[in-house]
Amino acid sequence: QVQLVESGGGLVQAGGSLRLSCAASGRTFSSYSMGWFRQTPGKEREFVAAISWSGGNTYYADSVKGRFTISRDNAKNTVYLQMNSLKPEDTAVYYCARRAGFYSDSSYYTREYDSWGQGTQVTVSS
């Protein structure tokens, strides 16, 4: 079972930036598409961004398009989420997740991810 460990969350003012990292254990990281999701209290976990196993395709929620960038470094078993122009509504716990299945297409749906990190808190003050 893969372990995913997020880092990089924190408190930032509106308009600021943060970069989240997610380090994965194991030797097969490059075979899996990865995603970032976020969740606030009382709400369902929502899709933020995803990247294909090769890194060649990326997908974003409309709410973050143009502000967030997902990337990966397969040599370091790490996926990143660069978040710019942060807004108070971006405040949430952010989770990285591994898409189920080797070489599967990226997905917007939480049910299609089989491994999750513990989450990292991002708080954007106004």
Side-chain angles (χ1 to χ4, degrees):
Q1 182 75 4
V2 68
Q3 287 190 326
L4 302 174
V5 180
E6 301 100 334
S7 60
L11 173 64
V12 64
Q13 289 188 333
S17 299
L18 284 174
R19 189 175 83 152
L20 305 183
S21 299
C22 172
S25 64
R27 300 181 179 181
T28 58
F29 175 77
S30 61
S31 303
Y32 291 90
S33 296
M34 299 293 294
W36 285 97
F37 293 77
R38 65 187 182 187
Q39 189 170 23
T40 54
K43 293 189 176 181
E44 291 189 357
R45 197 166 293 187
E46 67 172 5
F47 171 78
V48 175
I51 188 166
S52 61
W53 54 270
S54 67
N57 293 298
T58 57
Y59 308 87
Y60 298 94
D62 288 343
S63 59
V64 307
K65 203 170 292 183
R67 300 187 298 120
F68 291 11
T69 303
I70 188 171
S71 62
R72 66 189 299 160
D73 185 339
N74 286 342
K76 295 183 178 180
N77 277 19
T78 302
V79 61
Y80 304 97
L81 186 68
Q82 178 66 45
M83 305 186 295
N84 298 330
S85 302
L86 283 160
K87 304 175 181 180
E89 51 263 44
D90 294 318
T91 295
V93 177
Y94 284 71
Y95 299 89
C96 73
R98 189 186 74 173
R99 174 78 163 90
F102 282 120
Y103 305 115
S104 295
D105 292 337
S106 298
S107 172
Y108 300 92
Y109 303 107
T110 58
R111 63 178 180 269
E112 294 183 346
Y113 290 78
D114 64 357
S115 298
W116 295 82
Q118 84 288 351
T120 186
Q121 176 71 45
V122 171
T123 303
V124 184
S125 64
S126 57

